[in-house]
Amino acid sequence: ESCRGSFACANNLDSSAVFRLGPNSCLGRNSCSFNTRNISPGSCIGEASCDKNEGTIGLNACLGLYSCSENSGIVGSDSCTSEETVCADLDAGEVCEEFKGACRSNTGRIFAGSCLEFNSCCGNDVDISAGTCLVAGSCSKCDEET
């Protein structure tokens, strides 16, 4: 099953007016909204994951709270993950709306197995190589406002 959670899978269309969504994807409140390309099986699991992406999302990618937002390049398989999937996973004192998920506002391609912690891979205009950016905040060019 896919699209489980309030407001999951809202307003998704590709250029041919057909949006393909793999099984077991888009699991979480506000997940998978306003995407224009396919989302592969097992991807976009976590609150507010996969928002406003223009590239295809690979297998088992974008697993975590606020992961994968406003990327225009392809997101490779097993990329863009973090342990936190719902606001309740955050430590005491952390504000959910201020959490920085993995893979935000990138224009280059994110290759497989990359960007594996919160706030990794943000604001890049070049490709992210496979198996890189593996710690929190790595490969992030975004300032506090992004």
Side-chain angles (χ1 to χ4, degrees), residues 110-133:
I110 298 170
F111 284 87
S114 300
C115 312
L116 300 185
E117 282 292 334
F118 72 92
N119 199 28
S120 61
C121 302
C122 183
N124 294 287
D125 57 2
V126 296
D127 291 347
I128 302 292
S129 300
T132 59
C133 310

Side-chain angles (χ1 to χ4, degrees), residues 95-113:
V95 178
C96 189
E97 292 76 18
E98 294 175 2
F99 185 83
K100 307 292 187 197
C103 302
R104 297 174 292 121
S105 304
N106 296 291
T107 58
R109 181 175 180 172
I110 298 170
F111 284 87

Side-chain angles (χ1 to χ4, degrees), residues 81-96:
T81 66
S82 67
E83 293 178 12
E84 302 82 2
T85 58
V86 295
C87 292
D89 291 340
L90 299 178
D91 292 331
E94 289 184 290
V95 178
C96 189

Side-chain angles (χ1 to χ4, degrees), residues 5-74:
S6 58
F7 305 106
C9 301
N11 300 302
N12 294 302
L13 266 184
D14 67 16
S15 59
S16 64
V18 176
F19 178 74
R20 291 170 184 84
L21 180 65
N24 300 312
S25 295
C26 306
L27 307 180
R29 182 179 58 85
N30 294 324
S31 62
C32 299
S33 297
F34 302 99
N35 296 289
T36 59
R37 292 289 181 262
N38 296 343
I39 294 176
S40 299
S43 296
C44 306
I45 298 172
E47 288 186 36
S49 60
C50 298
D51 183 46
K52 300 176 186 161
N53 294 290
E54 296 175 5
T56 297
I57 305 289
L59 291 166
N60 302 312
C62 308
L63 309 180
L65 180 64
Y66 290 108
S67 60
C68 298
S69 63
E70 299 182 9
N71 296 294
S72 58
I74 294 170

